[in-house]
């Protein structure tokens, strides 16, 4: 095996590059990277199965959490909206 | 009285008092959700949003016109601290508290049971949430469940955005590590 091929194998198994990308995956998925850094992470996630699967896990986790949001009951919101309207109209003396 | 409600020297970009309801209306669902994360029960949560609205109205002139949600969440945090002082007046005279030990001023954090009961998530999510520490659970709830940005969560909790980020990332990392052993997560997944 040539040194180059060996290096390639180490990379595939998860080398320094994977560790570096691993630190950025969550920020990447949250949209917190600048375009150049995001492009680097994105191409690694397509090329590296292990990091790609890690990103899939976080995507799945985030979307499951987002779906966890409970429906908001209407009455408290209506009461709060009414309070805001009273304040705007100057009807509520401030304590 | 409150720290932010006194000055009414209007900033050029602050909304007019007469349009307060239109200004604040779009933010009410998020405020109520976050109050729910801070308060444990829906009655207290609604009270906290009421306090927040009154303080926001009084301090409207100090709002610079940018990031209304973060502004409102900062007011909510201050209102919440005040409520806890009223309930436990001894704390006001506690030297350690006055010295600004941020953790002691933080509101009681919701338990995983509170979060699960309020939101009825998938069992595997409830299980993973249940393993988080209260602090980790709180940032996951504010950002991933309630949909706040890191900066907004930081405003609501009175901690730096960097702390929100590191807590959130660690919390998700732990949830993922746990879920890797969960057949339901895996089967929906691959
Ligand atoms: Zn990789």
């Amino acid at each position: 095996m040539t040194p180059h091929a060996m290096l390639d194998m180490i990379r595939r198994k998860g080398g320094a590059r994977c560790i570096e990308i691993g630190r950025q995956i969550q920020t990447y998925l949250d949209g917190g990277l600048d375009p150049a850094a995001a492009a680097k992470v994105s191409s690694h996630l397509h090329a590296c199965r292990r990091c790609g699967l890690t990103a899939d896990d976080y995507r799945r986790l985030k979307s499951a959490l987002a779906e966890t949001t409970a429906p908001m009951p209407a009455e408290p919101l209506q009461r709060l909206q009414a309070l805001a309207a009273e304040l705007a109209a100057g009807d509520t003396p401030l304590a | 009285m409150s720290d932010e409600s006194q000055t009414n020297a209007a900033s050029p970009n602050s909304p007019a008092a007469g349009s307060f309801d239109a200004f604040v209306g779009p933010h009410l669902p998020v405020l109520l959700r976050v109050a729910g994360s801070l308060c444990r029960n829906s009655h207290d949560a609604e009270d906290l949003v009421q306090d927040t609205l009154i303080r926001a109205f009084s301090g409207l002139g100090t709002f610079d016109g940018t990031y209304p949600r973060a502004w409102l969440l900062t007011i909510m945090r201050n209102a919440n601290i005040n409520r806890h002082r009223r309930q436990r007046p001894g704390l006001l005279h506690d030297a350690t508290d006055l010295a600004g030990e941020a953790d002691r001023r933080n509101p009681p954090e919701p338990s995983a049971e509170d979060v699960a009961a309020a939101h009825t998530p998938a069992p595997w999510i409830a299980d993973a949430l249940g393993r988080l520490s209260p602090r980790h659970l709180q940032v996951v709830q504010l950002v991933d469940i309630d949909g706040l940005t890191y900066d907004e969560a930081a405003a609501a909790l009175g901690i730096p955005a960097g702390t929100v980020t590191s807590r959130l990332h660690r919390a998700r990392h732990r949830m993922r590590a746990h879920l890797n052993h969960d057949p339901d997560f895996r089967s929906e997944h691959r």
Side-chain angles (χ1 to χ4, degrees):
Chain A
M1 190 183 280
T2 66
H4 191 87
M6 205 139 106
L7 200 68
D8 225 48
M9 195 189 79
I10 291 166
R11 279 211 191 98
R12 262 184 277 121
K13 285 198 167 173
R17 185 90 183 114
C18 292
I19 293 169
E20 187 199 326
I21 295 293
R23 287 201 197 97
Q24 300 181 76
I25 286 180
Q26 291 199 50
T27 311
Y28 167 75
L29 294 175
D30 289 343
L33 293 181
D34 63 68
K40 270 186 206 164
V41 173
S42 169
S43 68
H44 183 87
L45 295 184
H46 283 104
C48 172
R49 178 178 156 76
R50 213 173 67 146
C51 292
L53 290 175
T54 301
D56 285 350
D57 281 354
Y58 283 121
R59 280 195 196 97
R60 160 134 214 91
L61 182 59
K62 274 161 58 87
S63 73
L65 287 167
E67 286 165 15
T68 297
T69 311
M72 172 110 339
E75 295 80 15
L77 280 177
Q78 284 161 3
R79 284 192 292 268
L80 291 165
Q81 188 67 60
L83 171 63
E86 278 173 34
L87 288 165
D91 291 347
T92 300
L94 297 173
Chain B
M1 254 308 282
S2 67
D3 11 349
E4 73 282 317
S5 63
Q6 292 310 303
T7 345
N8 259 331
S11 152
N13 297 317
S14 57
S19 63
F20 180 69
D21 50 343
F23 161 69
V24 86
H27 305 295
L28 289 176
V30 163
L31 291 178
L32 195 54
R33 253 183 231 297
V34 173
S37 306
L38 300 175
C39 285
R40 282 181 183 271
N41 76 60
S42 57
H43 179 80
D44 285 358
E46 189 177 340
D47 265 11
L48 176 58
V49 180
Q50 279 181 14
D51 275 9
T52 305
L53 290 182
I54 290 167
R55 283 165 169 250
F57 182 74
S58 311
L60 203 56
T62 66
F63 176 52
D64 67 3
T66 59
Y67 307 113
R69 241 158 70 151
W71 182 72
L72 290 165
L73 289 165
T74 303
I75 293 174
M76 182 186 280
R77 162 157 170 86
N78 291 334
N80 198 33
I81 289 170
N82 240 39
R83 291 163 66 80
H84 285 283
R85 287 215 176 116
R86 279 204 307 272
Q87 284 157 17
R88 293 177 300 163
L91 261 187
L92 253 187
H93 307 292
D94 182 326
T96 323
D97 190 60
L98 286 177
E101 231 260 80
D103 291 343
R104 302 196 44 171
R105 295 181 175 203
N106 277 336
E109 290 141 338
S111 69
E113 292 73 39
D114 294 334
V115 175
H119 296 300
T120 57
W124 55 270
I125 277 282
D127 188 34
L129 285 169
R131 285 161 189 272
L132 295 177
S133 72
R135 291 173 159 209
H136 283 164
L137 182 63
Q138 197 171 42
V139 289
V140 168
Q141 173 151 27
L142 291 176
V143 176
D144 284 339
I145 298 179
D146 295 337
L148 301 194
T149 65
Y150 294 179
D151 285 340
E152 289 166 349
L157 296 173
I159 58 178
T163 308
V164 171
T165 309
S166 59
R167 276 186 200 170
L168 181 66
H169 288 191
R170 207 161 297 147
R172 289 186 191 141
H173 179 84
R174 287 189 187 160
M175 292 184 89
R176 173 177 171 254
H178 171 66
L179 289 169
N180 269 320
H181 304 292
D182 192 302
D184 288 338
F185 181 65
R186 294 267 73 95
S187 64
E188 287 181 57
H189 191 39
R190 307 267 145 98

